[in-house]
Amino acid sequence: MLILRKIYTFLIDGIETLLIAAAIFLVIYAFICRPFKVTGQSMYPNFHDGEYVLTNLIGFENLGVYRASFGTLKLGDVVVFEAPPATGNKDKDYIKRVIGIPGDRVMIKNAMVYLNGKPLDESKYLKPDVKTYEGAFSKDGLEVTVPENEYYVLGDNRGESSDSREWGFVPKSYIVGGSMFVYWPMDRVRSVQNPY
């Protein structure tokens, strides 16, 4: 009888531990941070295909709305977001760099990015020979103003990236979180810093 009681106590303790661990995981996953797998070459060389990035949800309310009390997205932040409707790929999440915030004027001209009328210095995260060409949305020499509650985003690998040049602005409500840490593979573990 004593043995059965010990087995019963052990099983109950084990189940309680698993339930507590599952609850903690769910809270972290839903409200604090979430893993994201980089798929493709759109952010190369700063992010590689197959890397896993921890996405910070702190500062984001439900449905991806950014909380002003925790600050706002800034130029250079790397964000994960749900695919905007214009991409035609509603089941995919994207990772891109914020180039324009609400009120900014963005223009692609002569294979360069202009922000508020001045060439954007991207030397901290792009090689000097990287060219940024027009897309279906951002025509060469056409300046666009980022609307309220939307963002203009670009991939770091401009020749391989489907981004705001093609499908326009990303609504704030589509943003899942900000990238904060690459945790896999182990030989490429690093924090994600805003270059500005």
Side-chain angles (χ1 to χ4, degrees):
M1 196 70 166
L2 184 61
I3 293 174
L4 287 176
R5 185 172 290 159
K6 286 184 179 183
I7 292 172
Y8 174 78
T9 303
F10 175 78
L11 288 175
I12 294 297
D13 286 346
I15 291 170
E16 285 177 354
T17 302
L18 287 174
L19 289 175
I20 290 169
I24 291 170
F25 171 79
L26 288 174
V27 168
I28 289 171
Y29 186 82
F31 300 109
I32 298 174
C33 56
R34 190 172 297 162
F36 171 79
K37 182 181 181 184
V38 177
T39 305
Q41 301 294 325
S42 73
M43 289 297 286
Y44 183 83
N46 298 308
F47 296 88
H48 298 259
D49 184 43
E51 286 184 335
Y52 282 84
V53 178
L54 203 56
T55 303
N56 179 12
L57 305 181
I58 295 178
F60 291 83
E61 294 175 357
N62 289 338
L63 304 177
V65 180
Y66 204 76
R67 276 191 215 156
S69 62
F70 284 96
T72 57
L73 290 176
K74 298 185 256 346
L75 170 69
D77 284 346
V78 176
V79 293
V80 172
F81 56 93
E82 299 168 13
T87 66
N89 197 354
K90 64 178 183 175
D91 297 327
K92 184 177 180 182
D93 286 344
Y94 284 72
I95 181 170
K96 305 290 178 197
R97 190 176 301 277
V98 174
I99 298 299
I101 62 173
D104 280 344
R105 300 182 329 274
V106 181
M107 178 172 60
I108 309 296
K109 184 176 179 182
N110 300 326
M112 288 187 63
V113 178
Y114 287 79
L115 183 64
N116 299 320
K118 299 177 182 175
L120 178 61
D121 179 10
E122 299 185 277
S123 61
K124 294 177 181 168
Y125 54 91
L126 296 181
K127 292 182 181 177
D129 61 343
V130 171
K131 304 291 183 199
T132 305
Y133 295 105
E134 70 175 354
F137 178 77
S138 291
K139 298 292 186 187
D140 193 62
L142 175 67
E143 186 176 74
V144 295
T145 301
V146 183
E148 194 65 33
N149 297 318
E150 297 192 19
Y151 296 90
Y152 191 98
V153 298
L154 295 176
D156 290 349
N157 188 2
R158 301 292 160 78
E160 299 293 324
S161 178
S162 173
D163 49 38
S164 286
R165 293 172 295 166
E166 290 297 321
W167 32 258
F169 307 113
V170 177
K172 181 192 285 189
S173 62
Y174 281 62
I175 295 173
V176 174
S179 299
M180 60 182 214
F181 193 74
V182 176
Y183 66 91
W184 190 262
M186 290 299 290
D187 62 337
R188 292 205 293 266
V189 169
R190 64 194 181 278
S191 64
V192 177
Q193 302 292 325
N194 184 314
Y196 298 104

